[in-house]
Amino acid sequence: MERMNYKDIKKVDPEVWKWIKEETKRERETINLIASENFAPFSVLSAQGSVLTNKYAEGYSFARYYGGCQFIDQIEKLAIERTKALFNCEHANVQPHSGSQANMAVYYSSLKLGDAILFMDLRAGGHLTHGSSVNFSGKFFKPYFYGVDKKTETIDFNVVEDLAKKHKPKLIVCGYTAYPRKVDFKTFSEIASRTGAYLMADIAHIAGLVAAGLHPSPHPFTDFTTTTTHKTLRGPRGGIVMCKDEFAKQIDSTVFPGIQGGPLMHVIAAKAIALHLASTNEFKEYQKKVLANAKILANSLKKLGYRLVSGGTDTHLVLVDLKPQGITGKEAVEILKRANICVNKNTIPFDPLSARLTSGIRLGTPSVTTQGMGGKEIELIVSFIHRALTNRNDDKKLKLIREEVKTLCKKFPPY
Ligand code: DSN
């Protein structure tokens, strides 16, 4: 164990090592505003690089299809107990390899192929696995969509209820990837119970905020809750499904053997570590700063004349409409990349442009907050963004900003 070293890769495979080194440098020298990313702590990285990767453990703790699982069993048990305690849920399955598979597990366990599901439209802030026509969720089920109100750019529950009454979905899905406002799980559960639908929340983006008690919890309101573990939760790349006890058996048998084989035990150990860290006061303080930084980000952008979808944020992310600036999201990503600022293009509600171009960009504060950046740095970052976008055809100015970004990043190394 003590001999394990990240740099062992260098000796064995210089080609792969070169790209890991380049990526490490990129992460150190770039301001990362991708709302769904974070810097996982060393303990999480180490668990993922541990000997647990060697072990097959098909099945569940104390009921496996392989010998030698006595220690693995304890790790998965810990991860489950920690999920239940942190999110106050009745049952948890920590085996999904990703958020998409967590969502798949819910749909396949609670519905028949072709059943109707009511999702938020991807273009208004939903996710690919929320009924997109190019995804299993749109191909194998019958998707209906709600969006946001044109004026407020927030969810209109009268519309959601009308759609639920009209289409009678078996499942309503809430929880989003690009919705900057709080999700009202209670009101969703009232609509679901009035219309005879199950309710699922996908809290992948806000899991860290929920764990810290800074966003309302989906429990006890949902039948199913899914999450990833690598966004605000700051753990390894992976998924978790939570549900009411009455659905436990069907969720477990859908995850394994229904849609997955052997669990990734090195990742489950890393999930357990992240869940432990997420229960600390330090994590709560971190999430408070994520929110405070997002508010400063929103206000600083507004002061410079940028239009934010819904006018601001209650969460870790803001969605900027770049139509008034005459720049597409795609162009903004390229311009900001030249200044070492990493963001993603994003459709905005009622976007006239395609998902390839988009009218917006999505910015989030989880990564820079993990680095220790605060309000002063966020204001500086907004000034970098503004200068880059307004000097987009000036190579010299973009280079200057890139150097300033590197200097800032040097003061806040993620590792
Ligand atoms: N792709 C993720 C995001 O960026 O929001 C969602 O899974």
Side-chain angles (χ1 to χ4, degrees):
M1 193 80 133
E2 287 69 30
R3 282 194 56 251
M4 269 189 353
N5 190 335
Y6 191 50
K7 290 185 181 163
D8 282 344
I9 305 164
K10 185 178 179 181
K11 280 186 244 155
V12 177
D13 191 335
E15 274 181 296
V16 168
W17 171 246
K18 175 181 185 300
W19 299 119
I20 293 179
K21 219 172 60 180
E22 288 295 332
E23 172 61 13
T24 308
K25 186 167 177 282
R26 188 195 69 81
E27 291 189 20
R28 283 201 180 119
E29 294 183 348
T30 305
I31 289 169
N32 181 21
L33 296 175
I34 294 188
S36 50
E37 294 182 2
N38 212 327
F39 294 109
F42 275 125
S43 51
V44 164
L45 298 182
S46 303
Q48 287 188 277
S50 73
V51 297
L52 298 176
T53 199
N54 299 332
K55 191 71 198 96
Y56 248 123
E58 285 182 13
Y60 288 99
S61 287
F62 316 112
R64 306 279 185 186
Y65 289 84
Y66 289 81
C69 290
Q70 59 271 35
F71 306 119
I72 293 286
D73 284 348
Q74 299 298 336
I75 291 171
E76 186 164 343
K77 185 169 163 259
L78 265 182
I80 291 169
E81 284 168 359
R82 289 175 182 177
T83 304
K84 285 162 72 172
L86 191 65
F87 291 104
N88 194 24
C89 63
E90 292 179 13
H91 178 75
N93 186 309
V94 296
Q95 292 194 2
H97 301 328
S98 69
S100 296
Q101 276 168 296
N103 290 351
M104 183 184 264
V106 172
Y107 307 157
Y108 281 5
S109 70
S110 59
L111 309 171
K112 291 196 298 294
L113 294 187
D115 276 350
I117 313 181
L118 182 59
F119 299 102
M120 179 186 263
D121 189 355
L122 174 62
R123 293 171 72 80
H127 184 247
L128 202 61
T129 57
H130 297 181
S132 164
S133 62
V134 294
N135 181 263
F136 74 90
S137 55
K139 284 184 201 284
F140 302 138
F141 299 95
K142 180 134 195 54
Y144 292 99
F145 298 100
Y146 59 93
V148 292
D149 176 72
K150 202 154 195 171
K151 195 152 163 252
T152 62
E153 296 177 308
T154 60
I155 294 164
D156 180 339
F157 285 102
N158 291 323
V159 172
V160 176
E161 181 147 9
D162 285 348
L163 287 167
K165 281 182 177 152
K166 186 169 168 203
H167 300 298
K168 305 205 176 345
K170 283 260 177 68
L171 177 73
I172 298 176
V173 174
C174 60
Y176 318 104
T177 66
Y179 185 69
R181 296 300 179 177
K182 281 189 182 140
V183 185
D184 181 350
F185 300 115
K186 186 167 180 289
T187 301
F188 268 109
S189 79
E190 288 161 1
I191 294 174
S193 90
R194 280 199 291 273
T195 56
Y198 294 126
L199 179 65
M200 177 188 119
D202 178 342
I203 61 165
H205 262 265
I206 53 171
L209 300 173
V210 171
L214 300 171
H215 184 290
S217 170
H219 305 129
F221 303 113
T222 59
D223 299 296
F224 307 94
T225 301
T226 60
T227 187
T228 54
T229 44
H230 49 277
K231 298 185 176 95
T232 47
L233 204 51
R234 210 161 57 177
R237 200 153 280 275
I240 293 178
V241 184
M242 296 165 256
C243 64
K244 290 193 172 144
D245 269 335
E246 60 188 284
F247 305 113
K249 237 172 144 184
Q250 66 199 62
I251 282 290
D252 286 353
S253 62
T254 305
V255 173
F256 172 84
I259 59 171
Q260 291 189 174
L264 308 176
M265 289 313 306
H266 53 306
V267 179
I268 291 175
K271 286 175 186 170
I273 293 168
L275 291 158
H276 163 63
L277 293 173
S279 69
T280 60
N281 274 338
E282 204 183 328
F283 187 77
K284 190 168 183 166
E285 290 309 309
Y286 160 66
Q287 295 296 347
K288 280 186 190 162
K289 288 181 195 153
V290 167
L291 287 181
N293 280 344
K295 283 252 185 296
I296 295 167
L297 179 68
N299 291 337
S300 312
L301 285 162
K302 283 203 287 192
K303 267 189 215 151
L304 290 171
Y306 290 89
R307 194 188 86 77
L308 304 187
V309 170
S310 84
T313 181
D314 303 325
T315 66
H316 60 299
L317 69 86
V318 301
L319 199 53
V320 190
D321 175 4
L322 290 173
K323 281 200 281 358
Q325 279 71 26
I327 311 171
T328 66
K330 183 173 188 273
E331 286 164 340
V333 169
E334 288 308 314
I335 296 160
L336 294 173
K337 185 178 165 200
R338 287 159 70 200
N340 276 23
I341 298 172
C342 192
V343 308
N344 67 277
K345 62 185 173 190
N346 218 104
T347 51
I348 59 168
F350 311 101
D351 203 323
L353 299 180
S354 71
R356 278 175 204 273
L357 286 178
T358 82
S359 296
I361 49 173
R362 187 187 63 171
L363 311 176
T365 53
S367 294
V368 289
T369 309
T370 292
Q371 284 175 275
M373 295 193 197
K376 213 171 86 201
E377 289 75 31
I378 298 292
E379 282 170 5
L380 194 57
I381 290 171
V382 171
S383 75
F384 291 151
I385 292 173
H386 184 59
R387 277 168 55 204
L389 295 181
T390 46
N391 293 291
R392 52 189 176 275
N393 297 319
D394 188 331
D395 276 344
K396 257 196 187 149
K397 283 200 176 136
L398 289 174
K399 186 164 180 278
L400 190 66
I401 301 166
R402 187 163 70 238
E403 292 314 311
E404 289 178 59
V405 164
K406 281 191 199 169
T407 306
L408 175 65
C409 290
K410 238 189 204 149
K411 286 194 212 149
F412 296 89
Y415 295 112

